Structure formats: C-alpha cells, structure tokens
Amino acid sequence: MVQQVCREQNKCCKMKVYKFGGASVGSAEGVENLREIVSGAVDGGLLVVVSAMGKTTNALERVTAEFMEGRREEALDALAASEQYHRDICVGLFGPTADGGDAIPCGAQALFGELRQLISDGTPEESQYDYWYDRIVSYGELASTTIVAEYLNASGIEARWLDIRKCFITDNRHRDANIDLPVSGKLLRGVVDRVYGNGNPNRNWNWNGFGNKNEDGNRDRCENNNGDGNGNGTDPAAAAESFTVPTGDGVKVTDQRNVNRKVIITQGFIGSTADGQTTTLGREGSDYSAAVAANILDAESLTIWKDVAGILNADPKFFRGTRLIPEMNYLDAIELAYSGAQVIHPKTIKPLHSKDIPLYVRPFLDAAQPGSLISGRTGGLTGTPVLILKKNQVLISVRPNDFSFVLEDKLPDIFELMRRYNIRMNLIQSSAVNLSLCVDESRQLEGFGKELRNHDFRVVYNAGMELLTIRGYDKRAFEKHTAGPGIYLVQKTRRIVRIVREQTPPELCPEI
C-alpha cells in the first residue's frame, strides 16, 4: 500500500482527504476557519475538495434557467450578483486594494469573465439543457477553489490548485456523469506524485478499482503518455500543468513557505469527457468526488466537514429533537444515503468500502468535536429511529390501457423510458395492472409522461409530495407519521416504513 513521505518527521504516513461543503466556505470567516483546520493536517499530505461557496450552485442554476429561456440580460444580472458575492468574500479575506477596490484573485476574475462571455455569445437549445447546465454551474467550484487556494498561499500554506477536470474523466451523461476510474486513477496519482516529489507517476499504487480486473488482468487503460482523444494515455504531467493560481491585485503572498506544508486544492462535483466537455456528477456530487480521490490515493481517511454536529437521526431543518449518531457501518450509511439523507451523497460509500477507508463527518465550526464515524468496523444501527425526508416529489400512477400485467409485460418499457429521460425513482409499488412511482420533481417529467401515453399507458400525477423514510421505526413512530390526512401511500417492511404524503409546510417542524 502506498505511503507518502513526511519529510519533516522523516517517517511514512498516508495521505488524507478533506471535503468542505458550500456552507463551510460561504463567508470570509468560513474560509479562514478552513485554513485553521487545514493547517493542522498538511504535514502528511492532504488533498482538499471544496464545493461552490454558499448557495452559488443555486444562483448559477438560476443563471442557467434564464439563459436557456433566452433572457440573457436577466442571466447576466444574476451572474453579476453572484460575482459580487464572491468579491465581498475576497474583501473579507484580502482587504481592499490600495485604490479601494476589491482584491479578487485574477484567476477568479478570469473565470467570471469567461462565464459572462459564454452567456453573451452562447446559442442554447432546449434539447441541450443538461449540457449547458454543466458548462455554467461548474464555474462555482472553479471560482471557490481559486479563491481558497489563493488565500492559503497568502497565509503561509503552499496550496496547489488543481483543475480536477483534467483528472476525472467521465462519460457524457451530463448532470449525472460516471467517472472512468482506471483513466482517472492514473491521472490523479500522477499529479499527486509530482506535487509531493515522489518521482515516477507509475509507482506501485494499490489500485484495484471498485470491482474485478479485466480479462487480461490490467485495470489501467492509460497505456501511453501521448493521449488519443478518448481519455486513453492522457499524460499525468499534462494534468499537473493546471497548478498555477494567479495572484490578484493587492494580495501580498507570504514568501516564507514550508515545503512540507503543501496541500492540493481541487473541486468536487465536476469532471470532463475525454474530448474536454465539462460534466457534473449529480447534485451534492462533491462527496463522491472526495471518496473517489480517497480510493485512488489509498487515503488514510476521508473527512467531510459539515454545518452539523455529525450524522443526525433526522434533518434539524425538518424535525425537532434530533440526536447525534456517533458511528455506523457502511451498509447503514449507504441505505440512509440512498433513501435521501442529505449528510452524504448516495454514491460516496462504495469507493470507501472497497478500500476500508473510514469516513468522518465532523462540524467545521467546532473542529475539536469528533462528529460521526462510518467504517467497516462498527456495528449496525439499533435503538434510534432514523427519519429521512425528501421534499419535491411526484407520485406517478401508470396503467396499461390494454390491462396487461404491468410487472410481467410492461416494466422493462417503463424503466427504459425512465433511463432515457433521467428520471430518479425513489419508491415503486405495484398491483396486477397498476404501477406507482415516487420520483424527484424534474423538468423532464412532461416529456416522460407524453412518451408513456404514446406507448398506450394511462398516466396520473400527484405533484407537491414528499417521501418520508423511517429506518428502525417503532409503533409510536409509525402511528405518529401515518396518521392524519394527506397520506397517499405507505410501504412497510420489518425495519423500514416509507410514506408518500402531501408536502408539509416548512413552518411545521414536528418532534421526531
């Protein structure tokens, strides 16, 4: 197993991966706090994944929506507001320039300039919404990491900014892309070797992917360093060319840097196709980015820094009386994430489980607190009901007009249409001729419904729904949450109950 050299202590230790969400870096104080947390962990090698600042992803989604509707001026106005938000953070970090201006780093200025040009000159087509979404929204991560890297450099920690799109090569499934692990693994390992001075980028890393070897026993498709335009042979050295972070006007960079205090700053959520098209990995995909990086680098651990005490048994935005879950195993974690728990992304667990890498979820505002641990060495959840609420759901009822048995005759057709329209299914229930699906709200649902009707199905929608999942429920919890009006569907097993109901007004925050 690969180990990184801790030069200062002249001993071996493994790298760590940290991930900071948008709330962690949503203000100048948040970035300063990130610096304090990072400063205590850089000696053994550290890769830091940073999300877009605050609610920037939401803001850029609004920019995308205005742009796609042909309202360029409104899109540019929304972008200007987001840029000013970043400038305000930079004033808090770097102070004003000598002439009273804001000291936003040149790299961040350039990114916002690129995005303005893209919106001014772009010619969107409705059928390419997801493609344009990825191009526009990805600038949030690029801007935040540029600012964070510049601030760390200015405050005495040598930060290397990495454009992860040069390492994470994906398929072309926009807004839900899949990472090509063998290719991406070689690229990222090569970059880390260059940063920490380990020489040969083809060292004996313990890379076994998430599954089995190919028939020839070779997991790595990077067979040369020339590149062929398909992601094969992309030169790891070329990926490392993205390290330079320009210094903004008025930013004085500290010259007294300790070479043993290097940290790599990179983005979550984004990647690129082999031919250079930006992709995103799904909403909240930064957790997954960090987990893949930890797997590739054989990391000692992954720590996700959150604005909560750790993993709670319910979201405090929706329920009162929540409790901390100190530890859980991988199986419980992936079940909770798939059910909609917002603390971790559903795909995060698999790359960690395959290498037995522990995942810590800790509060960034109180770094001394232990938070929660997910690992393969802890027991299952017992004694504490866990409530997971997914808002913005749609309940769809589908029935073949010819009364065919839906499971035997029609299910493959329905699933194929869901795949084509990228519909995320959260619950399914069937009878002889009826199929009920609880899915995320999506702008694709209208086209999906039309296709079903064209295939001779009767389709009924109920919008404005929510899905409540209770794991480890007891009689009290079951009766409390299935009573009253507005319940459309209840699905119950020995350990889990799932309830589709009318959406609860946000001001109502019931006890667990």
Side-chain angles (χ1 to χ4, degrees):
M1 186 173 286
V2 155
Q3 296 178 322
Q4 303 295 340
V5 176
C6 295
R7 300 177 183 179
E8 183 178 23
Q9 300 176 3
N10 193 29
K11 65 178 184 180
C12 290
C13 55
K14 296 172 67 178
M15 285 193 71
K16 294 180 180 179
V17 177
Y18 281 0
K19 184 262 177 175
F20 291 87
S24 308
V25 292
S27 65
E29 294 76 16
V31 178
E32 290 168 350
N33 187 53
L34 177 151
R35 192 261 178 209
E36 292 304 309
I37 293 172
V38 165
S39 67
V42 295
D43 290 335
L46 180 65
L47 183 140
V48 177
V49 175
V50 181
S51 297
M53 290 178 158
K55 299 294 184 181
T56 296
T57 298
N58 293 343
L60 293 179
E61 286 178 338
R62 290 193 293 273
V63 171
T64 304
E66 299 286 8
F67 173 72
M68 294 301 296
E69 291 294 331
R71 297 189 290 266
R72 289 184 199 273
E73 290 304 317
E74 290 84 351
L76 289 169
D77 288 345
L79 176 59
S82 182
E83 181 176 3
Q84 186 57 53
Y85 165 71
H86 287 78
R87 289 181 178 275
D88 291 343
I89 290 176
C90 289
V91 169
L93 293 173
F94 305 115
T97 60
D99 60 2
D102 44 19
I104 186 168
C106 294
Q109 289 188 51
L111 289 168
F112 282 110
E114 286 177 14
L115 189 47
R116 277 195 300 275
Q117 195 70 39
L118 182 65
I119 293 169
S120 297
D121 297 343
T123 54
E125 297 180 14
E126 178 63 23
S127 62
Q128 295 184 321
Y129 193 100
D130 291 349
Y131 165 79
W132 284 101
Y133 176 99
D134 286 357
R135 290 192 69 181
I136 293 171
V137 173
S138 59
Y139 277 85
E141 274 69 21
L142 296 170
S144 68
T145 52
T146 299
I147 292 169
V148 168
E150 184 66 22
Y151 177 71
L152 293 180
N153 276 305
S155 59
I157 297 176
E158 185 177 354
R160 301 295 186 90
W161 184 86
L162 171 63
D163 184 346
I164 200 63
R165 295 175 299 176
K166 296 188 177 182
C167 292
F168 279 1
I169 307 303
T170 73
D171 59 18
N172 62 357
R173 186 180 172 89
H174 289 285
R175 296 185 70 177
D176 193 22
N178 298 294
I179 298 173
D180 185 327
L181 295 165
V183 170
S184 302
K186 182 168 185 176
L187 292 170
L188 183 59
R189 293 193 304 271
V191 166
V192 171
D193 277 330
R194 286 169 61 89
V195 171
Y196 289 101
N198 292 318
N200 180 8
N202 296 314
R203 291 158 64 244
N204 184 30
W205 291 78
N206 182 26
W207 169 246
N208 59 14
F210 301 167
N212 299 321
K213 293 182 179 180
N214 299 329
E215 291 182 1
D216 59 3
N218 181 14
R219 303 178 191 278
D220 197 335
R221 295 195 292 111
C222 289
E223 297 177 353
N224 60 68
N225 287 332
N226 298 320
D228 60 6
N230 296 313
N232 296 323
T234 308
D235 186 358
E241 295 301 321
S242 54
F243 282 139
T244 303
V245 182
T247 302
D249 295 338
V251 180
K252 183 177 181 181
V253 177
T254 303
D255 293 324
Q256 298 173 351
R257 299 180 187 170
N258 183 341
V259 295
N260 296 316
R261 293 171 62 79
K262 292 178 182 175
V263 56
I264 298 173
I265 303 294
T266 195
Q267 307 80 36
F269 179 56
I270 67 175
S272 75
T273 62
D275 59 359
Q277 294 183 12
T278 298
T279 55
T280 62
L281 308 180
R283 208 61 157 84
E284 308 297 331
S286 294
D287 290 356
Y288 180 57
S289 300
V292 170
N295 179 287
I296 289 169
L297 300 175
D298 291 315
E300 175 184 314
S301 63
L302 166 61
T303 302
I304 297 177
W305 297 91
K306 291 280 189 177
D307 58 347
V308 292
I311 299 176
L312 306 178
N313 70 324
D315 190 329
K317 294 195 296 291
F318 303 137
F319 298 97
R320 290 179 285 119
T322 59
R323 286 178 281 175
L324 178 70
I325 301 174
E327 59 182 38
M328 69 174 66
N329 59 35
Y330 292 124
L331 178 61
D332 284 325
I334 199 166
E335 290 283 358
L336 292 179
Y338 183 80
S339 297
Q342 295 297 302
V343 176
I344 49 177
H345 188 275
K347 294 192 294 187
T348 301
I349 300 302
K350 187 175 182 180
L352 301 176
H353 173 261
S354 68
K355 293 283 188 74
D356 197 20
I357 298 171
L359 167 62
Y360 297 91
V361 180
R362 298 177 61 187
F364 72 84
L365 290 178
D366 191 358
Q369 295 301 313
S372 301
L373 167 65
I374 300 171
S375 77
R377 298 178 174 83
T378 57
L381 288 174
T382 57
T384 302
V386 179
L387 285 75
I388 304 157
L389 187 64
K390 284 180 71 73
K391 297 280 191 178
N392 304 318
Q393 299 294 293
V394 177
L395 182 63
I396 306 174
S397 296
V398 181
R399 187 186 74 196
N401 286 323
D402 63 1
F403 277 29
S404 299
F405 292 125
V406 67
L407 289 181
E408 296 178 10
D409 301 329
K410 300 296 184 180
L411 196 61
D413 296 336
I414 296 171
F415 278 12
E416 170 58 24
L417 289 175
M418 292 180 70
R419 185 201 64 78
R420 189 185 309 168
Y421 282 89
N422 200 20
I423 303 298
R424 162 70 189 237
M425 179 180 65
N426 299 310
L427 178 146
I428 181 170
Q429 185 161 299
S430 68
S431 64
V433 296
N434 283 292
L435 188 70
S436 295
L437 304 168
C438 184
V439 303
D440 291 345
E441 282 186 358
S442 166
R443 59 194 312 277
Q444 303 279 11
L445 284 177
E446 183 178 354
F448 174 62
K450 288 180 179 178
E451 282 269 19
L452 285 172
R453 293 184 182 97
N454 290 340
H455 283 70
D456 203 27
F457 288 100
R458 175 180 178 270
V459 183
V460 177
Y461 288 88
N462 294 99
M465 310 298 287
E466 63 187 22
L467 172 63
L468 175 63
T469 301
I470 309 176
R471 292 181 57 82
Y473 67 93
D474 52 22
K475 181 179 179 182
R476 173 184 169 277
F478 179 80
E479 292 178 348
K480 177 182 178 65
H481 293 286
T482 57
I487 305 295
Y488 281 66
L489 187 154
V490 176
Q491 194 176 84
K492 181 180 176 183
T493 67
R494 287 188 295 273
R495 297 182 58 205
I496 301 171
V497 61
R498 312 186 80 189
I499 304 156
V500 180
R501 65 190 189 187
E502 293 177 355
Q503 196 147 282
T504 307
E507 63 270 14
L508 297 180
C509 191
E511 288 278 356
I512 291 178

